[in-house]
């Protein structure tokens, strides 16, 4: 059991502990140093992960997979978390618990990394629980604000139910199949009703992390009520890990046709409900939250065809990468506007805050899939994989939902560009501006370097 196999995760863990200790020792006005420490630790984790790229083996008695998907998660999760860290110093500058926020953020990122690389159901449970428990704290971090407390409570209640169902599902699968190890379960999961029920319950726990129907209700509340850096993190990072974990699970049981059908139905329901619910939102943060739900629906298209076509996994990873960058870009624009939520406050934004307006427009264009933005390429890859697998009806539903989503994105961008200027929006500035620029540049680079990135994505998983 070489400890070095988990060096990226250990780097995040040690940085989280160090950030917590530093926050205890420093005066509140110096807690911004914890942000620098957190970003440095995450960068180190990415560097170690890059050095381990190309590994293809199971480690720690087969409970953790070192493969292409794990490498992708080890790069994407810390990388996007750094952008969330960058939004935080100015946002929490007057919060007495400023420094502790970074420890919670890192512990939650660690849970996501553990979830993405899990090759055993017990390891999966551990990663999900670590990600969830810390997520509850992040969602309700503004404990003096009723909306934030409501978001945290709803996240906790939905999560408690979903995680309980997850554990029951693991018990059922372990009891009927005799193992929790993916290498043992691969292709050998019995198709009896109890095992299929157990798998469906495990899927329910992962649907919660993804924000998919029917355990999606926390997403718009967290997007609206959590601190903007936490909202950006919680609507992206758990989804990245949950998508990989869900793909691994569905690929384990190619002989159980009910699982892909269930995922396809949930995909259609999630994208449709997310888009319909976003249509008349007057709060931009809730609109982004419902948009996040719909994006989960699109991602599930690739999971529904897991193992059926070779392009399924690359399409999933490519789409989730672009979605994560665009979603954090949208929240960075909101953070730059000091959390401005009322849609009327965005009228004439292009004149008072041109950078924030352009960033928001590009993020929304990526969500819709308007060429040549990378979001178009990600959606195209999803549609192609779905059509090749014979699920034409799901691709048609996705296209219809994409057209529908144009309406509510234009409700924000249209007035922001063409309406008369209202009172100039306040700016937050500082490192928020750095995160905004970084996310914007990365989104554009992803568009330009798409072919090289696509070629580097893995086509298969362990075991």
């Amino acid at each position: 059991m070489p400890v070095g196999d988990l060096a990226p995760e250990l780097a995040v863990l040690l940085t989280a502990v160090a950030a917590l200790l530093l926050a205890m020792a420093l005066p509140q006005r110096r807690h911004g140093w914890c942000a620098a420490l957190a970003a440095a630790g995450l960068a180190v984790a990415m560097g170690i992960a890059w050095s381990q790229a190309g590994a293809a083996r199971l480690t720690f008695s087969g409970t953790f997979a070192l493969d292409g998907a794990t490498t992708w998660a080890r790069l994407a999760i810390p990388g996007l978390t750094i952008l969330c860290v960058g939004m935080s110093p100015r946002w929490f500058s007057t919060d007495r618990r400023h420094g502790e926020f970074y420890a919670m953020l890192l512990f939650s990122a660690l849970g996501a990394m553990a979830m993405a690389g899990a090759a055993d159901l017990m390891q999966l449970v551990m990663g999900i629980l670590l990600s969830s428990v810390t997520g509850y704290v992040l969602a309700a971090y503004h404990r003096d604000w009723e909306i934030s407390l409501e978001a945290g409570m709803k996240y906790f209640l939905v999560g408690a139910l979903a995680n309980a169902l997850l554990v029951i599902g693991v018990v059922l699968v372990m009891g009927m199949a005799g193992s929790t190890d993916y290498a043992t379960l691969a292709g050998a999961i019995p198709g009896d009703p109890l095992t299929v029920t157990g798998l469906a319950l495990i899927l329910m726990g992962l649907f919660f992390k993804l924000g998919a129907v029917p355990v999606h209700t926390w997403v718009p509340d967290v997007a609206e009520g959590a601190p903007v850096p936490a909202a950006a993190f919680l609507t992206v990072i758990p989804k990245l890990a949950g998508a990989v974990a869900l793909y691994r699970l569905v690929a384990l049981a190619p002989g159980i046709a009910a699982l892909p059908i269930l995922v396809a139905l949930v995909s259609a329901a999630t994208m449709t409900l997310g888009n319909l619910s976003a249509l008349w939102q007057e709060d931009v943060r809730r609109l982004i939250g419902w948009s996040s739900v719909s994006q989960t629906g699109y991602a599930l298209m690739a999971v529904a065809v897991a193992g059926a076509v070779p392009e399924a996994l690359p399409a999933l990873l490519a789409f989730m990468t672009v979605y994560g960058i665009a979603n954090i870009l949208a929240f960075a624009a909101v953070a730059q506007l000091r959390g401005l939520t009322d849609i009327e406050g965005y009228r004439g934004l292009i004149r008072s805050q041109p950078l924030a307006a352009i960033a928001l427009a590009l993020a929304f264009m990526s969500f819709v899939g308007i060429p040549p933005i990378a979001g178009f390429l990600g959606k195209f890859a999803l549609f192609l994989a779905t059509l090749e697998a014979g699920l034409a009806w799901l691709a048609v539903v996705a296209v219809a939902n994409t057209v529908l989503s144009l309406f509510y994105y234009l409700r924000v961008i249209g007035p922001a560009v063409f309406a008369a200027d209202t009172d100039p929006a306040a700016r937050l500035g500082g490192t928020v501006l750095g995160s905004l620029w970084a996310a914007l540049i990365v989104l554009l680079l992803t568009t330009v370097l798409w072919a090289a990135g696509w070629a580097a994505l893995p086509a298969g998983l362990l075991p």
Side-chain angles (χ1 to χ4, degrees), residues 140-161:
Y141 214 76
H142 287 331
R143 58 186 180 185
D144 295 329
W145 190 31
E146 291 180 359
I147 297 178
S148 185
L149 287 178
E150 180 183 352
M153 183 58 67
K154 185 170 289 188
Y155 192 23
F156 167 72
L157 292 175
V158 177
L161 173 61

Side-chain angles (χ1 to χ4, degrees), residues 169 173 189-190 194-204 249 253 256 259:
V173 172
I189 298 178
L194 275 179
T195 304
V196 174
T197 301
L199 288 171
L201 292 177
I202 297 173
L203 259 61
M204 193 67 66
L249 188 67
I256 302 178
L259 291 185

